[in-house]
Amino acid sequence: MTGNRLFPLPDGATVCPLGQGTWRMGQSAARRQEEIRALRHGIELGMNLVDTAEMYDNEELVGEAVRPYREKVFLVSKVLPSNASYRGTKLACEHSLLRLGTEYIDLYLLHWKGCHPYEETIRAMVELRQEGKIRMWGVSNLDTADMERIVLLPGGNGCATDQVLYNLGDRGVEFDLMPWCAARRMPVMAYSPISEGRLLRHRTLVEIARRHDAPPAQIALAWTMRQPGIIAIPKAGNVTHVEDNFRSLSINLTEEDLYDLDTAFPAPIRKIPLAGW
Ligand code: NAP
């Protein structure tokens, strides 16, 4: 089912537009095996992008989950802004590689804007790439003005993505950041695509879900991925949620669905500063 939806990235890799988030995984020993099973099931279904971060304190769990599938997984991790000096970025990456138990990270992101100059972080990213420790680098939680700066810095045009908050209830990025990324053919990674579960009881979403005989999460995810260039990374802590989410790849929203969603969750008509971190 994912075959015709595979998404090309700048270096020729392909990922499923539906990835797997992991924030808050690894917090409970009792849930560990279920979370590993959920991630592995998602990978087996074809959801090959797995997103973690040094901040999530779960890279060991994620590494264990992806190890049997390493070659087909597209592994994403992130450096904390407080570590994102030149030396700090390189060291943080080494630590992530050790915790993940892998020789390379497919995509390494600056988690959000911090106090270290972008020039330093980018220089480290470029070197990590040359050393084969990461395949691509990108950023997260950066608004349009920062993206414009990033791509003009030495090495900055290698930035592969911006991972941002995007879901039906948080559409601000549609006004300028998404068009900016689209013009550069830069994919956007949508985090919290079901708003950490908050969207799921919304009346309109529930009604549209009923039309499709599907759970609301599938509608929220199908909407997030409705246009090319967007990769959604929901976090699902069990196999049932993984399977639910996977089926969103087969949902075709109708004109009526899209109209109703636009009415309930209006698109931005002016600049809204990026929400999130
Ligand atoms: P999310 O994916 O919008 O929502 C996760 C919540 O939804 C969990 O409570 C999960 O419950 C529930 N859920 C998932 N599938 C469901 C389904 N089919 N039916 C009902 N409930 C379902 O929120 P998120 O975790 O904030 O965002 C996703 C990922 O994006 C994160 O895990 C992380 O990898 C990334 N992220 C990045 C940043 C950043 O700054 N770059 C910030 C936030 C998140 P269960 O766990 O019980 O399945």
mmCIF file with all atom_site columns, all heavy atoms in Angstrom, residues 21-23 51 56 140-141 163 191-192 194-196 233-235 237 241 245 277, ligand 1:
data_model
loop_
_atom_site.group_PDB
_atom_site.id
_atom_site.type_symbol
_atom_site.label_atom_id
_atom_site.label_alt_id
_atom_site.label_comp_id
_atom_site.label_asym_id
_atom_site.label_entity_id
_atom_site.label_seq_id
_atom_site.pdbx_PDB_ins_code
_atom_site.Cartn_x
_atom_site.Cartn_y
_atom_site.Cartn_z
_atom_site.occupancy
_atom_site.B_iso_or_equiv
_atom_site.pdbx_formal_charge
_atom_site.auth_seq_id
_atom_site.auth_comp_id
_atom_site.auth_asym_id
_atom_site.auth_atom_id
_atom_site.pdbx_PDB_model_num
ATOM   1   N N   . GLY A 1 21  ? 6.491  8.633  15.034 1.00 0.00 ? 21  GLY A N   1
ATOM   2   C CA  . GLY A 1 21  ? 7.096  9.420  16.104 1.00 0.00 ? 21  GLY A CA  1
ATOM   3   C C   . GLY A 1 21  ? 7.351  8.544  17.320 1.00 0.00 ? 21  GLY A C   1
ATOM   4   O O   . GLY A 1 21  ? 6.787  7.452  17.446 1.00 0.00 ? 21  GLY A O   1
ATOM   5   N N   . THR A 1 22  ? 8.172  9.039  18.236 1.00 0.00 ? 22  THR A N   1
ATOM   6   C CA  . THR A 1 22  ? 8.479  8.225  19.432 1.00 0.00 ? 22  THR A CA  1
ATOM   7   C C   . THR A 1 22  ? 8.516  9.030  20.727 1.00 0.00 ? 22  THR A C   1
ATOM   8   O O   . THR A 1 22  ? 8.909  8.503  21.771 1.00 0.00 ? 22  THR A O   1
ATOM   9   C CB  . THR A 1 22  ? 9.851  7.510  19.285 1.00 0.00 ? 22  THR A CB  1
ATOM   10  O OG1 . THR A 1 22  ? 10.882 8.498  19.286 1.00 0.00 ? 22  THR A OG1 1
ATOM   11  C CG2 . THR A 1 22  ? 9.932  6.670  18.041 1.00 0.00 ? 22  THR A CG2 1
ATOM   12  N N   . TRP A 1 23  ? 8.142  10.306 20.657 1.00 0.00 ? 23  TRP A N   1
ATOM   13  C CA  . TRP A 1 23  ? 8.188  11.121 21.884 1.00 0.00 ? 23  TRP A CA  1
ATOM   14  C C   . TRP A 1 23  ? 7.324  10.462 22.961 1.00 0.00 ? 23  TRP A C   1
ATOM   15  O O   . TRP A 1 23  ? 6.195  10.049 22.672 1.00 0.00 ? 23  TRP A O   1
ATOM   16  C CB  . TRP A 1 23  ? 7.701  12.545 21.580 1.00 0.00 ? 23  TRP A CB  1
ATOM   17  C CG  . TRP A 1 23  ? 7.904  13.511 22.713 1.00 0.00 ? 23  TRP A CG  1
ATOM   18  C CD1 . TRP A 1 23  ? 8.839  13.426 23.698 1.00 0.00 ? 23  TRP A CD1 1
ATOM   19  C CD2 . TRP A 1 23  ? 7.160  14.685 22.960 1.00 0.00 ? 23  TRP A CD2 1
ATOM   20  N NE1 . TRP A 1 23  ? 8.722  14.500 24.540 1.00 0.00 ? 23  TRP A NE1 1
ATOM   21  C CE2 . TRP A 1 23  ? 7.700  15.286 24.119 1.00 0.00 ? 23  TRP A CE2 1
ATOM   22  C CE3 . TRP A 1 23  ? 6.091  15.312 22.309 1.00 0.00 ? 23  TRP A CE3 1
ATOM   23  C CZ2 . TRP A 1 23  ? 7.206  16.473 24.643 1.00 0.00 ? 23  TRP A CZ2 1
ATOM   24  C CZ3 . TRP A 1 23  ? 5.597  16.499 22.827 1.00 0.00 ? 23  TRP A CZ3 1
ATOM   25  C CH2 . TRP A 1 23  ? 6.152  17.071 23.986 1.00 0.00 ? 23  TRP A CH2 1
ATOM   26  N N   . ASP A 1 51  ? 11.243 8.601  14.027 1.00 0.00 ? 51  ASP A N   1
ATOM   27  C CA  . ASP A 1 51  ? 11.736 9.888  14.527 1.00 0.00 ? 51  ASP A CA  1
ATOM   28  C C   . ASP A 1 51  ? 12.027 9.824  16.024 1.00 0.00 ? 51  ASP A C   1
ATOM   29  O O   . ASP A 1 51  ? 11.149 9.505  16.822 1.00 0.00 ? 51  ASP A O   1
ATOM   30  C CB  . ASP A 1 51  ? 10.655 10.954 14.268 1.00 0.00 ? 51  ASP A CB  1
ATOM   31  C CG  . ASP A 1 51  ? 11.067 12.323 14.770 1.00 0.00 ? 51  ASP A CG  1
ATOM   32  O OD1 . ASP A 1 51  ? 11.844 12.990 14.062 1.00 0.00 ? 51  ASP A OD1 1
ATOM   33  O OD2 . ASP A 1 51  ? 10.629 12.723 15.870 1.00 0.00 ? 51  ASP A OD2 1
ATOM   34  N N   . TYR A 1 56  ? 14.476 12.958 23.833 1.00 0.00 ? 56  TYR A N   1
ATOM   35  C CA  . TYR A 1 56  ? 13.411 12.010 24.209 1.00 0.00 ? 56  TYR A CA  1
ATOM   36  C C   . TYR A 1 56  ? 13.910 10.929 25.178 1.00 0.00 ? 56  TYR A C   1
ATOM   37  O O   . TYR A 1 56  ? 13.104 10.190 25.746 1.00 0.00 ? 56  TYR A O   1
ATOM   38  C CB  . TYR A 1 56  ? 12.813 11.321 22.975 1.00 0.00 ? 56  TYR A CB  1
ATOM   39  C CG  . TYR A 1 56  ? 12.200 12.252 21.962 1.00 0.00 ? 56  TYR A CG  1
ATOM   40  C CD1 . TYR A 1 56  ? 11.821 11.787 20.709 1.00 0.00 ? 56  TYR A CD1 1
ATOM   41  C CD2 . TYR A 1 56  ? 12.004 13.602 22.234 1.00 0.00 ? 56  TYR A CD2 1
ATOM   42  C CE1 . TYR A 1 56  ? 11.270 12.625 19.764 1.00 0.00 ? 56  TYR A CE1 1
ATOM   43  C CE2 . TYR A 1 56  ? 11.459 14.454 21.286 1.00 0.00 ? 56  TYR A CE2 1
ATOM   44  C CZ  . TYR A 1 56  ? 11.104 13.962 20.051 1.00 0.00 ? 56  TYR A CZ  1
ATOM   45  O OH  . TYR A 1 56  ? 10.563 14.795 19.111 1.00 0.00 ? 56  TYR A OH  1
ATOM   46  N N   . SER A 1 140 ? 14.382 21.915 12.824 1.00 0.00 ? 140 SER A N   1
ATOM   47  C CA  . SER A 1 140 ? 13.033 21.721 13.349 1.00 0.00 ? 140 SER A CA  1
ATOM   48  C C   . SER A 1 140 ? 12.619 23.005 14.059 1.00 0.00 ? 140 SER A C   1
ATOM   49  O O   . SER A 1 140 ? 13.462 23.697 14.641 1.00 0.00 ? 140 SER A O   1
ATOM   50  C CB  . SER A 1 140 ? 13.035 20.534 14.320 1.00 0.00 ? 140 SER A CB  1
ATOM   51  O OG  . SER A 1 140 ? 11.756 20.356 14.878 1.00 0.00 ? 140 SER A OG  1
ATOM   52  N N   . ASN A 1 141 ? 11.339 23.294 13.997 1.00 0.00 ? 141 ASN A N   1
ATOM   53  C CA  . ASN A 1 141 ? 10.772 24.454 14.706 1.00 0.00 ? 141 ASN A CA  1
ATOM   54  C C   . ASN A 1 141 ? 11.344 25.791 14.242 1.00 0.00 ? 141 ASN A C   1
ATOM   55  O O   . ASN A 1 141 ? 11.378 26.740 15.026 1.00 0.00 ? 141 ASN A O   1
ATOM   56  C CB  . ASN A 1 141 ? 10.977 24.301 16.217 1.00 0.00 ? 141 ASN A CB  1
ATOM   57  C CG  . ASN A 1 141 ? 10.212 23.130 16.784 1.00 0.00 ? 141 ASN A CG  1
ATOM   58  O OD1 . ASN A 1 141 ? 8.993  23.088 16.697 1.00 0.00 ? 141 ASN A OD1 1
ATOM   59  N ND2 . ASN A 1 141 ? 10.918 22.150 17.338 1.00 0.00 ? 141 ASN A ND2 1
ATOM   60  N N   . GLN A 1 163 ? 11.139 20.313 10.392 1.00 0.00 ? 163 GLN A N   1
ATOM   61  C CA  . GLN A 1 163 ? 10.108 19.530 11.092 1.00 0.00 ? 163 GLN A CA  1
ATOM   62  C C   . GLN A 1 163 ? 9.344  20.480 11.997 1.00 0.00 ? 163 GLN A C   1
ATOM   63  O O   . GLN A 1 163 ? 9.928  21.095 12.889 1.00 0.00 ? 163 GLN A O   1
ATOM   64  C CB  . GLN A 1 163 ? 10.758 18.404 11.909 1.00 0.00 ? 163 GLN A CB  1
ATOM   65  C CG  . GLN A 1 163 ? 9.723  17.519 12.583 1.00 0.00 ? 163 GLN A CG  1
ATOM   66  C CD  . GLN A 1 163 ? 10.316 16.411 13.443 1.00 0.00 ? 163 GLN A CD  1
ATOM   67  O OE1 . GLN A 1 163 ? 10.153 16.394 14.661 1.00 0.00 ? 163 GLN A OE1 1
ATOM   68  N NE2 . GLN A 1 163 ? 10.999 15.472 12.825 1.00 0.00 ? 163 GLN A NE2 1
ATOM   69  N N   . TYR A 1 191 ? 4.884  17.356 12.757 1.00 0.00 ? 191 TYR A N   1
ATOM   70  C CA  . TYR A 1 191 ? 4.818  16.650 14.038 1.00 0.00 ? 191 TYR A CA  1
ATOM   71  C C   . TYR A 1 191 ? 3.512  16.956 14.757 1.00 0.00 ? 191 TYR A C   1
ATOM   72  O O   . TYR A 1 191 ? 2.817  17.904 14.403 1.00 0.00 ? 191 TYR A O   1
ATOM   73  C CB  . TYR A 1 191 ? 6.062  16.902 14.889 1.00 0.00 ? 191 TYR A CB  1
ATOM   74  C CG  . TYR A 1 191 ? 6.237  18.242 15.588 1.00 0.00 ? 191 TYR A CG  1
ATOM   75  C CD1 . TYR A 1 191 ? 5.434  18.629 16.654 1.00 0.00 ? 191 TYR A CD1 1
ATOM   76  C CD2 . TYR A 1 191 ? 7.290  19.080 15.234 1.00 0.00 ? 191 TYR A CD2 1
ATOM   77  C CE1 . TYR A 1 191 ? 5.644  19.818 17.332 1.00 0.00 ? 191 TYR A CE1 1
ATOM   78  C CE2 . TYR A 1 191 ? 7.519  20.281 15.898 1.00 0.00 ? 191 TYR A CE2 1
ATOM   79  C CZ  . TYR A 1 191 ? 6.687  20.643 16.950 1.00 0.00 ? 191 TYR A CZ  1
ATOM   80  O OH  . TYR A 1 191 ? 6.899  21.820 17.615 1.00 0.00 ? 191 TYR A OH  1
ATOM   81  N N   . SER A 1 192 ? 3.181  16.110 15.731 1.00 0.00 ? 192 SER A N   1
ATOM   82  C CA  . SER A 1 192 ? 1.886  16.147 16.425 1.00 0.00 ? 192 SER A CA  1
ATOM   83  C C   . SER A 1 192 ? 0.729  16.237 15.419 1.00 0.00 ? 192 SER A C   1
ATOM   84  O O   . SER A 1 192 ? -0.156 17.087 15.548 1.00 0.00 ? 192 SER A O   1
ATOM   85  C CB  . SER A 1 192 ? 1.824  17.321 17.414 1.00 0.00 ? 192 SER A CB  1
ATOM   86  O OG  . SER A 1 192 ? 2.901  17.281 18.318 1.00 0.00 ? 192 SER A OG  1
ATOM   87  N N   . ILE A 1 194 ? -1.883 14.557 15.034 1.00 0.00 ? 194 ILE A N   1
ATOM   88  C CA  . ILE A 1 194 ? -3.237 14.451 15.597 1.00 0.00 ? 194 ILE A CA  1
ATOM   89  C C   . ILE A 1 194 ? -3.323 15.241 16.902 1.00 0.00 ? 194 ILE A C   1
ATOM   90  O O   . ILE A 1 194 ? -4.162 14.963 17.755 1.00 0.00 ? 194 ILE A O   1
ATOM   91  C CB  . ILE A 1 194 ? -3.692 12.982 15.771 1.00 0.00 ? 194 ILE A CB  1
ATOM   92  C CG1 . ILE A 1 194 ? -2.654 12.158 16.523 1.00 0.00 ? 194 ILE A CG1 1
ATOM   93  C CG2 . ILE A 1 194 ? -3.950 12.324 14.443 1.00 0.00 ? 194 ILE A CG2 1
ATOM   94  C CD1 . ILE A 1 194 ? -3.079 10.719 16.756 1.00 0.00 ? 194 ILE A CD1 1
ATOM   95  N N   . SER A 1 195 ? -2.435 16.247 17.001 1.00 0.00 ? 195 SER A N   1
ATOM   96  C CA  . SER A 1 195 ? -2.432 17.158 18.141 1.00 0.00 ? 195 SER A CA  1
ATOM   97  C C   . SER A 1 195 ? -2.398 16.410 19.469 1.00 0.00 ? 195 SER A C   1
ATOM   98  O O   . SER A 1 195 ? -3.181 16.705 20.381 1.00 0.00 ? 195 SER A O   1
ATOM   99  C CB  . SER A 1 195 ? -3.646 18.103 18.062 1.00 0.00 ? 195 SER A CB  1
ATOM   100 O OG  . SER A 1 195 ? -3.482 19.174 18.957 1.00 0.00 ? 195 SER A OG  1
ATOM   101 N N   . GLU A 1 196 ? -1.510 15.428 19.537 1.00 0.00 ? 196 GLU A N   1
ATOM   102 C CA  . GLU A 1 196 ? -1.332 14.611 20.746 1.00 0.00 ? 196 GLU A CA  1
ATOM   103 C C   . GLU A 1 196 ? -2.649 13.970 21.183 1.00 0.00 ? 196 GLU A C   1
ATOM   104 O O   . GLU A 1 196 ? -2.884 13.764 22.373 1.00 0.00 ? 196 GLU A O   1
ATOM   105 C CB  . GLU A 1 196 ? -0.725 15.449 21.883 1.00 0.00 ? 196 GLU A CB  1
ATOM   106 C CG  . GLU A 1 196 ? 0.648  16.020 21.547 1.00 0.00 ? 196 GLU A CG  1
ATOM   107 C CD  . GLU A 1 196 ? 1.203  16.898 22.647 1.00 0.00 ? 196 GLU A CD  1
ATOM   108 O OE1 . GLU A 1 196 ? 1.235  16.461 23.805 1.00 0.00 ? 196 GLU A OE1 1
ATOM   109 O OE2 . GLU A 1 196 ? 1.593  18.039 22.343 1.00 0.00 ? 196 GLU A OE2 1
ATOM   110 N N   . ILE A 1 233 ? 4.283  12.370 11.125 1.00 0.00 ? 233 ILE A N   1
ATOM   111 C CA  . ILE A 1 233 ? 4.960  11.407 12.017 1.00 0.00 ? 233 ILE A CA  1
ATOM   112 C C   . ILE A 1 233 ? 4.182  11.214 13.323 1.00 0.00 ? 233 ILE A C   1
ATOM   113 O O   . ILE A 1 233 ? 4.634  11.609 14.393 1.00 0.00 ? 233 ILE A O   1
ATOM   114 C CB  . ILE A 1 233 ? 6.426  11.819 12.291 1.00 0.00 ? 233 ILE A CB  1
ATOM   115 C CG1 . ILE A 1 233 ? 6.528  13.297 12.751 1.00 0.00 ? 233 ILE A CG1 1
ATOM   116 C CG2 . ILE A 1 233 ? 7.295  11.594 11.078 1.00 0.00 ? 233 ILE A CG2 1
ATOM   117 C CD1 . ILE A 1 233 ? 7.913  13.645 13.342 1.00 0.00 ? 233 ILE A CD1 1
ATOM   118 N N   . PRO A 1 234 ? 2.997  10.587 13.240 1.00 0.00 ? 234 PRO A N   1
ATOM   119 C CA  . PRO A 1 234 ? 2.252  10.339 14.476 1.00 0.00 ? 234 PRO A CA  1
ATOM   120 C C   . PRO A 1 234 ? 3.002  9.367  15.388 1.00 0.00 ? 234 PRO A C   1
ATOM   121 O O   . PRO A 1 234 ? 3.739  8.502  14.900 1.00 0.00 ? 234 PRO A O   1
ATOM   122 C CB  . PRO A 1 234 ? 0.966  9.675  13.982 1.00 0.00 ? 234 PRO A CB  1
ATOM   123 C CG  . PRO A 1 234 ? 1.365  9.005  12.705 1.00 0.00 ? 234 PRO A CG  1
ATOM   124 C CD  . PRO A 1 234 ? 2.391  9.920  12.084 1.00 0.00 ? 234 PRO A CD  1
ATOM   125 N N   . LYS A 1 235 ? 2.783  9.509  16.673 1.00 0.00 ? 235 LYS A N   1
ATOM   126 C CA  . LYS A 1 235 ? 3.332  8.542  17.627 1.00 0.00 ? 235 LYS A CA  1
ATOM   127 C C   . LYS A 1 235 ? 2.207  7.589  18.027 1.00 0.00 ? 235 LYS A C   1
ATOM   128 O O   . LYS A 1 235 ? 1.126  8.024  18.441 1.00 0.00 ? 235 LYS A O   1
ATOM   129 C CB  . LYS A 1 235 ? 3.880  9.260  18.859 1.00 0.00 ? 235 LYS A CB  1
ATOM   130 C CG  . LYS A 1 235 ? 4.391  8.323  19.937 1.00 0.00 ? 235 LYS A CG  1
ATOM   131 C CD  . LYS A 1 235 ? 3.398  8.197  21.064 1.00 0.00 ? 235 LYS A CD  1
ATOM   132 C CE  . LYS A 1 235 ? 3.924  7.320  22.194 1.00 0.00 ? 235 LYS A CE  1
ATOM   133 N NZ  . LYS A 1 235 ? 2.900  7.143  23.237 1.00 0.00 ? 235 LYS A NZ  1
ATOM   134 N N   . GLY A 1 237 ? 1.663  4.110  20.357 1.00 0.00 ? 237 GLY A N   1
ATOM   135 C CA  . GLY A 1 237 ? 2.347  3.270  21.342 1.00 0.00 ? 237 GLY A CA  1
ATOM   136 C C   . GLY A 1 237 ? 1.884  1.834  21.354 1.00 0.00 ? 237 GLY A C   1
ATOM   137 O O   . GLY A 1 237 ? 2.334  1.052  22.188 1.00 0.00 ? 237 GLY A O   1
ATOM   138 N N   . HIS A 1 241 ? -3.100 1.106  17.268 1.00 0.00 ? 241 HIS A N   1
ATOM   139 C CA  . HIS A 1 241 ? -2.998 2.478  16.772 1.00 0.00 ? 241 HIS A CA  1
ATOM   140 C C   . HIS A 1 241 ? -2.120 2.540  15.519 1.00 0.00 ? 241 HIS A C   1
ATOM   141 O O   . HIS A 1 241 ? -2.405 3.304  14.594 1.00 0.00 ? 241 HIS A O   1
ATOM   142 C CB  . HIS A 1 241 ? -2.439 3.406  17.866 1.00 0.00 ? 241 HIS A CB  1
ATOM   143 C CG  . HIS A 1 241 ? -3.460 3.756  18.914 1.00 0.00 ? 241 HIS A CG  1
ATOM   144 N ND1 . HIS A 1 241 ? -3.159 4.414  20.083 1.00 0.00 ? 241 HIS A ND1 1
ATOM   145 C CD2 . HIS A 1 241 ? -4.812 3.545  18.947 1.00 0.00 ? 241 HIS A CD2 1
ATOM   146 C CE1 . HIS A 1 241 ? -4.262 4.594  20.797 1.00 0.00 ? 241 HIS A CE1 1
ATOM   147 N NE2 . HIS A 1 241 ? -5.274 4.069  20.133 1.00 0.00 ? 241 HIS A NE2 1
ATOM   148 N N   . ASN A 1 245 ? -3.462 3.975  12.009 1.00 0.00 ? 245 ASN A N   1
ATOM   149 C CA  . ASN A 1 245 ? -2.782 5.085  11.350 1.00 0.00 ? 245 ASN A CA  1
ATOM   150 C C   . ASN A 1 245 ? -2.339 4.698  9.938  1.00 0.00 ? 245 ASN A C   1
ATOM   151 O O   . ASN A 1 245 ? -2.450 5.488  8.997  1.00 0.00 ? 245 ASN A O   1
ATOM   152 C CB  . ASN A 1 245 ? -1.590 5.562  12.193 1.00 0.00 ? 245 ASN A CB  1
ATOM   153 C CG  . ASN A 1 245 ? -2.060 6.116  13.532 1.00 0.00 ? 245 ASN A CG  1
ATOM   154 O OD1 . ASN A 1 245 ? -3.259 6.318  13.734 1.00 0.00 ? 245 ASN A OD1 1
ATOM   155 N ND2 . ASN A 1 245 ? -1.134 6.358  14.446 1.00 0.00 ? 245 ASN A ND2 1
ATOM   156 N N   . TRP A 1 277 ? 8.099  24.634 19.831 1.00 0.00 ? 277 TRP A N   1
ATOM   157 C CA  . TRP A 1 277 ? 9.213  24.984 20.718 1.00 0.00 ? 277 TRP A CA  1
ATOM   158 C C   . TRP A 1 277 ? 9.743  26.356 20.395 1.00 0.00 ? 277 TRP A C   1
ATOM   159 O O   . TRP A 1 277 ? 9.896  26.724 19.268 1.00 0.00 ? 277 TRP A O   1
ATOM   160 C CB  . TRP A 1 277 ? 10.343 23.969 20.553 1.00 0.00 ? 277 TRP A CB  1
ATOM   161 C CG  . TRP A 1 277 ? 9.954  22.639 21.075 1.00 0.00 ? 277 TRP A CG  1
ATOM   162 C CD1 . TRP A 1 277 ? 9.382  21.611 20.371 1.00 0.00 ? 277 TRP A CD1 1
ATOM   163 C CD2 . TRP A 1 277 ? 10.107 22.150 22.416 1.00 0.00 ? 277 TRP A CD2 1
ATOM   164 N NE1 . TRP A 1 277 ? 9.176  20.529 21.193 1.00 0.00 ? 277 TRP A NE1 1
ATOM   165 C CE2 . TRP A 1 277 ? 9.620  20.840 22.446 1.00 0.00 ? 277 TRP A CE2 1
ATOM   166 C CE3 . TRP A 1 277 ? 10.634 22.723 23.590 1.00 0.00 ? 277 TRP A CE3 1
ATOM   167 C CZ2 . TRP A 1 277 ? 9.621  20.071 23.611 1.00 0.00 ? 277 TRP A CZ2 1
ATOM   168 C CZ3 . TRP A 1 277 ? 10.635 21.951 24.726 1.00 0.00 ? 277 TRP A CZ3 1
ATOM   169 C CH2 . TRP A 1 277 ? 10.123 20.647 24.740 1.00 0.00 ? 277 TRP A CH2 1
HETATM 170 P P1  . NAP B 2 .   ? 0.666  12.926 17.980 1.00 0.00 ? 1   NAP B P1  1
HETATM 171 O O1  . NAP B 2 .   ? 1.376  11.965 17.144 1.00 0.00 ? 1   NAP B O1  1
HETATM 172 O O2  . NAP B 2 .   ? -0.180 13.966 17.342 1.00 0.00 ? 1   NAP B O2  1
HETATM 173 O O3  . NAP B 2 .   ? -0.252 12.176 19.055 1.00 0.00 ? 1   NAP B O3  1
HETATM 174 C C1  . NAP B 2 .   ? 0.207  11.109 19.831 1.00 0.00 ? 1   NAP B C1  1
HETATM 175 C C2  . NAP B 2 .   ? -0.935 10.662 20.736 1.00 0.00 ? 1   NAP B C2  1
HETATM 176 O O4  . NAP B 2 .   ? -2.021 10.192 19.915 1.00 0.00 ? 1   NAP B O4  1
HETATM 177 C C3  . NAP B 2 .   ? -0.554 9.529  21.656 1.00 0.00 ? 1   NAP B C3  1
HETATM 178 O O5  . NAP B 2 .   ? -1.202 9.762  22.882 1.00 0.00 ? 1   NAP B O5  1
HETATM 179 C C4  . NAP B 2 .   ? -1.132 8.302  20.978 1.00 0.00 ? 1   NAP B C4  1
HETATM 180 O O6  . NAP B 2 .   ? -1.548 7.342  21.907 1.00 0.00 ? 1   NAP B O6  1
HETATM 181 C C5  . NAP B 2 .   ? -2.348 8.862  20.293 1.00 0.00 ? 1   NAP B C5  1
HETATM 182 N N1  . NAP B 2 .   ? -2.684 8.103  19.080 1.00 0.00 ? 1   NAP B N1  1
HETATM 183 C C6  . NAP B 2 .   ? -1.860 7.758  18.062 1.00 0.00 ? 1   NAP B C6  1
HETATM 184 N N2  . NAP B 2 .   ? -2.527 7.081  17.112 1.00 0.00 ? 1   NAP B N2  1
HETATM 185 C C7  . NAP B 2 .   ? -3.802 6.989  17.544 1.00 0.00 ? 1   NAP B C7  1
HETATM 186 C C8  . NAP B 2 .   ? -4.971 6.386  17.011 1.00 0.00 ? 1   NAP B C8  1
HETATM 187 N N3  . NAP B 2 .   ? -4.965 5.763  15.846 1.00 0.00 ? 1   NAP B N3  1
HETATM 188 N N4  . NAP B 2 .   ? -6.132 6.497  17.722 1.00 0.00 ? 1   NAP B N4  1
HETATM 189 C C9  . NAP B 2 .   ? -6.149 7.139  18.910 1.00 0.00 ? 1   NAP B C9  1
HETATM 190 N N5  . NAP B 2 .   ? -5.084 7.723  19.475 1.00 0.00 ? 1   NAP B N5  1
HETATM 191 C C10 . NAP B 2 .   ? -3.917 7.638  18.788 1.00 0.00 ? 1   NAP B C10 1
HETATM 192 O O7  . NAP B 2 .   ? 1.658  13.724 18.959 1.00 0.00 ? 1   NAP B O7  1
HETATM 193 P P2  . NAP B 2 .   ? 3.225  13.785 19.219 1.00 0.00 ? 1   NAP B P2  1
HETATM 194 O O8  . NAP B 2 .   ? 3.720  12.536 19.820 1.00 0.00 ? 1   NAP B O8  1
HETATM 195 O O9  . NAP B 2 .   ? 3.447  15.075 19.912 1.00 0.00 ? 1   NAP B O9  1
HETATM 196 O O10 . NAP B 2 .   ? 3.878  13.973 17.761 1.00 0.00 ? 1   NAP B O10 1
HETATM 197 C C11 . NAP B 2 .   ? 4.320  12.910 16.980 1.00 0.00 ? 1   NAP B C11 1
HETATM 198 C C12 . NAP B 2 .   ? 5.833  12.834 16.919 1.00 0.00 ? 1   NAP B C12 1
HETATM 199 O O11 . NAP B 2 .   ? 6.390  14.028 16.404 1.00 0.00 ? 1   NAP B O11 1
HETATM 200 C C13 . NAP B 2 .   ? 6.502  12.717 18.304 1.00 0.00 ? 1   NAP B C13 1
HETATM 201 O O12 . NAP B 2 .   ? 6.338  11.439 18.848 1.00 0.00 ? 1   NAP B O12 1
HETATM 202 C C14 . NAP B 2 .   ? 7.900  13.108 17.973 1.00 0.00 ? 1   NAP B C14 1
HETATM 203 O O13 . NAP B 2 .   ? 8.586  12.027 17.336 1.00 0.00 ? 1   NAP B O13 1
HETATM 204 C C15 . NAP B 2 .   ? 7.660  14.257 16.991 1.00 0.00 ? 1   NAP B C15 1
HETATM 205 N N6  . NAP B 2 .   ? 7.653  15.581 17.667 1.00 0.00 ? 1   NAP B N6  1
HETATM 206 C C16 . NAP B 2 .   ? 8.630  16.468 17.338 1.00 0.00 ? 1   NAP B C16 1
HETATM 207 C C17 . NAP B 2 .   ? 8.679  17.702 17.980 1.00 0.00 ? 1   NAP B C17 1
HETATM 208 C C18 . NAP B 2 .   ? 9.767  18.657 17.616 1.00 0.00 ? 1   NAP B C18 1
HETATM 209 O O14 . NAP B 2 .   ? 9.965  19.641 18.345 1.00 0.00 ? 1   NAP B O14 1
HETATM 210 N N7  . NAP B 2 .   ? 10.492 18.437 16.538 1.00 0.00 ? 1   NAP B N7  1
HETATM 211 C C19 . NAP B 2 .   ? 7.708  18.062 18.916 1.00 0.00 ? 1   NAP B C19 1
HETATM 212 C C20 . NAP B 2 .   ? 6.694  17.153 19.206 1.00 0.00 ? 1   NAP B C20 1
HETATM 213 C C21 . NAP B 2 .   ? 6.675  15.927 18.562 1.00 0.00 ? 1   NAP B C21 1
HETATM 214 P P3  . NAP B 2 .   ? -0.763 5.955  22.109 1.00 0.00 ? 1   NAP B P3  1
HETATM 215 O O15 . NAP B 2 .   ? 0.629  6.322  22.481 1.00 0.00 ? 1   NAP B O15 1
HETATM 216 O O16 . NAP B 2 .   ? -1.548 5.287  23.185 1.00 0.00 ? 1   NAP B O16 1
HETATM 217 O O17 . NAP B 2 .   ? -0.828 5.208  20.804 1.00 0.00 ? 1   NAP B O17 1
#
